[in-house]
Amino acid sequence: MASSNSGETGAGLVLRSADPLNCETPISALMGGTVTPNENFYVRNHFRVPAIDGARWRLEVGGLVRRPLRLGITDLVNLPAQVQTATLECAGNGRAFLAPPVSGEQWELGAVSTAEWTGVRLAEVLDRAGLKSGAREAVFRSADRAIGRHSRGAGRFEWSLTLDEVHQADVLLAYAMNGQPLPIQHGYPLRVIVPGWYGVAAVKWLTEIEVVGQPFRGYFQTEKYVYEWERDGRLEREPVRQMRVRSLITEPDADGEVDIGPLAIRGLAWSGVAPLARVDVSVSGGAWQPAELFGQPSTCSWQRWELLTKVSGPGRIALRSRATDGAERTQPEQPEWNRLGYGNNAIQEVSIRARRPRSSFAGR
Ligand SMILES: Nc1nc2c(c(=O)[nH]1)N[C@H]1C(S)=C(S)[C@@H](COP(=O)(O)O)O[C@H]1N2
Ligand SMILES: [Mo]
């Protein structure tokens, strides 16, 4: 597999910060297909993208296993391959719309993308290593590092899943993205994909899997990616896990103009908690109308949806979409504020303007 080591971002992304590199997907790039082209896939990094020599890179699998493994890319590619379409959404997607404002990357709506990932099932690798009794969690460690001294154990990206979670989500160790070797900014040569979970669990530049017998208490999962609310004067905390139900309007363009007459409203919707049950669309505050959903309902990947309607007069039109999943979770009218600004799945409103068609047949 060729090593891809350019850290560049093309013009296909909206830059949020250059160092570390953080970019969101332009909504216009999400029109059309289910998968997002690699050059348009959002990028979320806590540290600088590491330099990796694919030929020397190894994945170490150790801890509570009978046969510790040391695998190169060829070893992984020679194991049975699994292909999985999965949506990744950063838990901070939509943070920019919280009031009062929350510090952190100011994502609007484009910190979400979908790719077809190819790799090896983590269960397959763990089977080969052989779990010892008492094995409880898999800890994923990566090659990226904080520059200089970092407080509170934040110097390195680590995340763990219980073995039950590994089994339920059918975690993938992916080496290819949309049929290409993983681009360096998306974790070359190997990353974790946890279908249905917020992107944070999808550890990039994976170098080590340690099987441990105690709950792992890494900084990112115990301090950083946590919902925090103050309720009745008490602090409540809940770790970030599955993606909340959400929908996105991709067409027509926000602030765009449309002709009076038939109008197609299109978008995407997903939930990592349960497959979607429905998406409803409201035009200018009118009743919710059921949209048509395309593709297979799944907690792994978003689905496209469409509502065909008609615009009868000129002026401003507000479009809103609301997804509901099979667990009866639905999108809230207003964002649910939490201290670190995660999981904002509030209903999006897109405003457009309708005008009389330029070549009007009216009055003939
Ligand atoms: N090693 C490493 N893995 C990581 C991160 C990181 O900073 N370092 N960021 C995580 C977060 S918060 C998200 S949302 C996804 C983003 O994946 P992407 O950049 O391929 O879109 O990667 C996750 N995996
Ligand atoms: Mo994220």
Side-chain angles (χ1 to χ4, degrees):
M1 194 180 288
S3 111
S4 59
N5 45 23
S6 116
E8 289 173 23
T9 348
L13 289 163
V14 181
L15 189 69
R16 289 272 163 247
S17 76
D19 188 13
L21 183 66
N22 283 295
C23 315
E24 61 183 273
T25 303
I27 302 303
S28 58
L30 298 176
M31 283 197 277
T34 296
V35 298
T36 314
N38 290 357
E39 62 272 21
N40 301 125
F41 202 103
Y42 83 96
V43 177
R44 201 303 178 228
N45 295 321
H46 293 85
F47 311 122
R48 230 171 246 181
V49 172
I52 290 183
D53 174 352
R56 298 173 71 178
W57 172 93
R58 293 291 180 274
L59 172 69
E60 311 264 358
V61 183
L64 294 175
V65 296
R66 286 183 231 286
R67 295 170 293 274
L69 305 175
R70 204 160 177 272
L71 305 169
I73 300 174
T74 323
D75 301 321
L76 288 156
V77 170
N78 285 336
L79 291 174
Q82 167 106 344
V83 179
Q84 173 73 64
T85 300
T87 297
L88 295 193
E89 181 184 19
C90 185
N93 194 26
R95 179 183 287 130
F97 305 114
L98 294 182
V102 167
S103 68
E105 220 57 52
Q106 294 303 300
W107 302 111
E108 294 186 1
L109 296 168
V112 60
S113 302
T114 297
E116 183 198 81
W117 309 95
T118 307
V120 182
R121 296 174 59 240
L122 174 57
E124 173 88 36
V125 171
L126 293 179
D127 272 356
R128 277 166 205 256
L131 296 175
K132 284 189 177 167
S133 68
R136 179 177 174 145
E137 293 196 1
V139 182
F140 307 106
R141 299 205 168 90
S142 57
D144 52 339
R145 292 280 188 289
I147 301 141
R149 260 197 309 135
H150 231 276
S151 57
R152 298 186 296 160
R156 161 163 216 203
F157 198 80
E158 299 171 310
W159 191 267
S160 82
L161 294 172
T162 67
L163 296 174
D164 279 348
E165 289 165 343
V166 168
H167 179 75
Q168 270 169 24
D170 203 2
V171 172
L172 190 68
L173 304 178
Y175 46 74
M177 176 178 184
N178 295 328
Q180 310 266 309
L182 273 183
I184 184 70
Q185 62 271 38
H186 296 295
Y188 175 85
L190 191 72
R191 80 178 301 171
V192 178
I193 292 293
V194 189
W197 283 52
Y198 278 114
V200 65
V203 177
K204 303 193 273 190
W205 311 293
L206 185 67
T207 53
E208 185 192 339
I209 300 173
E210 186 190 0
V211 178
V212 298
Q214 297 297 323
F216 175 71
R217 302 204 41 86
Y219 166 79
F220 285 94
Q221 67 199 81
T222 58
E223 289 191 51
K224 181 135 168 131
Y225 283 82
V226 181
Y227 301 103
E228 269 188 31
W229 309 272
E230 217 179 271
R231 286 181 180 147
D232 309 322
R234 281 194 23 230
L235 188 67
E236 282 185 29
R237 308 177 92 231
E238 193 187 307
V240 163
R241 291 198 177 97
Q242 277 93 351
M243 298 182 288
R244 291 177 170 177
V245 64
R246 191 167 198 182
S247 63
L248 194 59
I249 298 170
T250 57
E251 282 173 77
D253 276 342
D255 302 318
E257 289 204 324
V258 300
D259 286 345
I260 289 167
L263 175 68
I265 306 166
R266 299 194 177 94
L268 296 157
W270 63 98
S271 166
V273 175
L276 292 178
R278 55 191 296 132
V279 172
D280 298 289
V281 177
S282 161
V283 180
S284 289
W288 290 107
Q289 304 173 60
E292 186 179 352
L293 275 167
F294 302 100
Q296 286 302 310
S298 146
T299 52
C300 305
S301 168
W302 61 22
Q303 285 182 265
R304 310 201 65 81
W305 55 261
E306 177 182 80
L307 179 81
L308 301 176
T309 183
K310 225 168 142 187
V311 178
S312 50
R316 281 257 158 238
I317 301 176
L319 306 175
R320 305 204 306 149
S321 67
R322 184 186 66 187
T324 305
D325 69 18
E328 286 172 43
R329 308 278 177 112
T330 195
Q331 295 183 249
E333 294 278 333
Q334 295 300 324
E336 175 213 64
W337 193 92
N338 55 95
R339 189 175 71 85
L340 298 167
Y342 296 122
N344 175 7
N345 64 338
I347 293 170
Q348 175 203 7
E349 183 172 306
V350 163
S351 171
I352 57 167
R353 179 176 289 280
R355 60 164 183 227
R356 299 201 183 281
R358 292 236 161 81
S359 57
S360 175
F361 294 94
R364 267 221 216 158

